[in-house]
Amino acid sequence: MTVILLRHGVSTSNTARTLAGRSTGVELTERGAEQAAAVADRLGGLPIRHIAHSPLLRCQRTVGPLAQRLGLEPEYDDRLLEVDYGDWTGRPISELLEEPLWSVVQRHASGAVFPNGEGLADVQRRAVTAIRDIDRRLADANEGADVLWVACTHGDVIKSVLADALGIHLDGFQRIVVEPASISVIRYSPHAPYVWRLNDTGADLSALAAAPPAGPAKAGAPAPGPVPGGEVTPGPVADNGNAERRDPL
């Protein structure tokens, strides 16, 4: 099973440099709407079978054009919600930098609990559980055949899922960068997850459409995961376009 983790496009909170959290009514900016349209162009040619998303408006808006292009009905999942930042919600980032908890979030994320909110360890637990539950459900419905699907959610949520897939401690998740409208891709095998893309804003994603068949590998077939030297099964090379344009985080 292969999940495309999609971060929502640039929002009004991103440009205002505030911590939106679970605030309602946070819209995409004009740039964010452009990104949502571009996501539909990037992913619209892939055999995507399912779209799940955070219930928040900025995620709904981001997956809307893609869902329309594919003729799919997106499914919201509360477990993909943004972090509950509690009393930090809506406050300017510049102000939060002065809080003692800020350094804990940066260096000891697994011990960070937001005042009257939730802990980042709990965020990782619910998000990974959601991804694996949906993945398992799709696998069961398709007799184990690989299914490509999209989960649209938020930066810290995606980073926590990637940390789990990469096998790194949650305390290192701030080393992972996830930009607005970027995709990160995890292919879950029966033995381990493999990260195929991380913070990708490029265009060519055709390699994702050709998953290795389920079941025992045939003689002479390429390995379904990393091989010595760090290579993966050969496929088209995508150019990450991150250097072309930087968007507010």
Side-chain angles (χ1 to χ4, degrees), residues 147-189:
V147 173
L148 186 62
W149 64 284
V150 171
C152 181
T153 179
H154 309 270
D156 280 349
V157 178
I158 292 173
K159 290 195 296 182
S160 73
V161 174
L162 287 169
D164 173 78
L166 290 166
I168 66 174
H169 198 279
L170 182 62
D171 287 353
F173 95 132
Q174 295 289 20
R175 301 180 185 184
I176 300 170
V177 176
V178 177
E179 297 176 277
S182 66
I183 68 161
S184 298
V185 181
I186 304 171
R187 180 160 284 163
Y188 289 97
S189 80

Side-chain angles (χ1 to χ4, degrees), residues 223 225-234:
V227 298
E231 300 297 328
V232 295
T233 305

Side-chain angles (χ1 to χ4, degrees), residues 125-136:
R125 190 176 301 112
R126 66 168 165 84
V128 171
T129 298
I131 296 298
R132 289 185 174 272
D133 280 354
I134 297 171
D135 212 62
R136 190 178 303 111

Side-chain angles (χ1 to χ4, degrees), residues 11-196:
S11 73
T12 52
S13 183
N14 294 141
T15 55
R17 307 299 295 173
T18 59
L19 192 64
R22 297 181 176 182
S23 301
T24 59
V26 177
E27 267 282 9
L28 296 182
T29 63
E30 183 178 345
R31 171 62 179 153
E34 291 173 355
Q35 290 175 322
V39 163
D41 290 337
R42 290 184 70 204
L43 303 183
L46 296 176
I48 293 168
R49 304 280 292 277
H50 183 71
I51 298 174
H53 64 90
S54 158
L56 293 178
L57 184 61
R58 52 196 185 274
C59 289
Q60 295 179 42
R61 297 282 197 244
T62 299
V63 299
L66 176 64
Q68 185 174 18
R69 176 80 62 90
L70 297 173
L72 295 175
E73 183 66 34
E75 173 187 64
Y76 76 84
D77 193 314
D78 285 334
R79 296 172 297 178
L80 298 178
L81 261 171
E82 175 63 290
V83 180
D84 182 356
Y85 293 111
D87 295 344
W88 280 27
T89 302
R91 292 176 60 187
I93 300 295
S94 59
E95 186 178 292
L96 296 173
L97 289 171
E98 305 301 320
E99 294 280 354
L101 182 60
W102 184 269
S103 62
V104 179
V105 172
Q106 301 303 313
R107 297 183 179 90
H108 183 39
S110 62
V113 179
F114 295 97
N116 294 313
E118 67 181 329
L120 288 172
D122 294 324
V123 173
Q124 184 181 55
R125 190 176 301 112
R126 66 168 165 84
V128 171
T129 298
I131 296 298
R132 289 185 174 272
D133 280 354
I134 297 171
D135 212 62
R136 190 178 303 111
R137 187 183 80 203
L138 293 172
D140 291 346
N142 291 274
E143 300 181 342
D146 188 74
V147 173
L148 186 62
W149 64 284
V150 171
C152 181
T153 179
H154 309 270
D156 280 349
V157 178
I158 292 173
K159 290 195 296 182
S160 73
V161 174
L162 287 169
D164 173 78
L166 290 166
I168 66 174
H169 198 279
L170 182 62
D171 287 353
F173 95 132
Q174 295 289 20
R175 301 180 185 184
I176 300 170
V177 176
V178 177
E179 297 176 277
S182 66
I183 68 161
S184 298
V185 181
I186 304 171
R187 180 160 284 163
Y188 289 97
S189 80
H191 309 293
Y194 298 99
V195 177
W196 278 58

